[in-house]
Amino acid sequence: MLVRIELVLWHIVHPFSLLVKSLYWASWLLENPLEDLQKISYLDFYTHGFGQFWLLLSFLVSNVPFSMCTGFGWCVTYALVFIAWSLVHFFTKIGTPQPCEGYLQNECPIYSKFDWHKPQLTTIIALLVCLVACPVVCTFYATLASRCRGSHDVQEGRENKTGTGDCEEPKVEEVTVDATAL
């Protein structure tokens, strides 16, 4: 049971961390000129840059299978849970520990880019994340799993490739043993 939980977390953490970090850098680049790259703090660079490097490295050196369909399913599920939580956060006026610009502290959004005070933009972002970004990131990870790290499970002396992006689980042939032949 714990292995299944770990696999679910694996299928959530890796794609979603890349997705969040990519969205962070894309929004930063859209708002700032490239010359301001020198103004990024070490903590922001480490959190949204170097941390992703370590995650990709751990993914490449591991042999944990990654399926495109499973990854997509869990990535979208996690995104929907986050969207639901952000709506609860918005409607119950939880706010943030620090004040933000333009709102009372109890109305501050979790992320300024994902602000339900601007429902049209936030809905578009949510749809893009679920319908575009999740499939793209999961395809990237499935490709890494199948092409770059050579993910194989060896069963009965034969290679059974995993992480190829197929939606079907690998089929295991039933083996019968004739006890009288032994």
Side-chain angles (χ1 to χ4, degrees):
M1 181 62 160
L2 288 176
V3 171
R4 290 181 190 255
I5 293 170
E6 192 274 334
L7 281 174
V8 167
L9 293 174
W10 186 265
H11 279 86
I12 292 171
V13 169
H14 281 276
F16 223 83
S17 65
L18 180 61
L19 192 145
V20 168
K21 287 166 177 64
S22 298
L23 290 174
Y24 172 83
W25 287 111
S27 69
W28 189 91
L29 288 170
L30 288 173
E31 292 177 355
N32 300 296
L34 206 50
E35 297 83 40
D36 287 351
L37 195 58
Q38 297 173 349
K39 296 179 183 175
I40 293 177
S41 72
Y42 170 77
L43 184 59
D44 280 342
F45 176 75
Y46 185 82
T47 304
H48 296 88
F50 202 59
Q52 186 59 45
F53 167 77
W54 287 116
L55 276 171
L56 283 172
L57 184 64
S58 74
F59 184 84
L60 289 172
V61 299
S62 74
N63 204 24
V64 177
F66 188 89
S67 164
M68 165 62 189
C69 291
T70 305
F72 174 71
W74 284 112
C75 190
V76 169
T77 300
Y78 183 76
L80 293 174
V81 167
F82 176 80
I83 291 165
W85 168 244
S86 70
L87 283 166
V88 168
H89 184 273
F90 173 72
F91 285 116
T92 58
K93 298 185 179 193
I94 294 173
T96 56
Q98 288 83 27
C100 62
E101 259 184 61
Y103 303 113
L104 298 173
Q105 188 171 350
N106 68 338
E107 294 182 357
C108 290
I110 300 170
Y111 293 107
S112 61
K113 307 291 184 249
F114 203 75
D115 182 359
W116 286 108
H117 292 97
K118 303 167 190 164
Q120 291 173 331
L121 178 62
T122 304
T123 302
I124 290 170
I125 292 170
L127 288 172
L128 286 173
V129 165
C130 290
L131 301 176
V132 177
C134 283
V136 167
V137 169
C138 289
T139 300
F140 171 74
Y141 270 97
T143 303
L144 277 181
S146 66
R147 300 234 169 99
C148 296
R149 70 178 185 187
S151 177
H152 300 285
D153 286 335
V154 178
Q155 293 179 346
E156 299 177 23
R158 292 179 293 127
E159 288 184 349
N160 179 20
K161 290 191 177 204
T162 58
T164 59
D166 296 336
C167 292
E168 296 179 19
E169 293 295 321
K171 297 189 191 276
V172 179
E173 294 178 19
E174 188 174 319
V175 177
T176 56
V177 178
D178 183 12
T180 59
L182 297 174

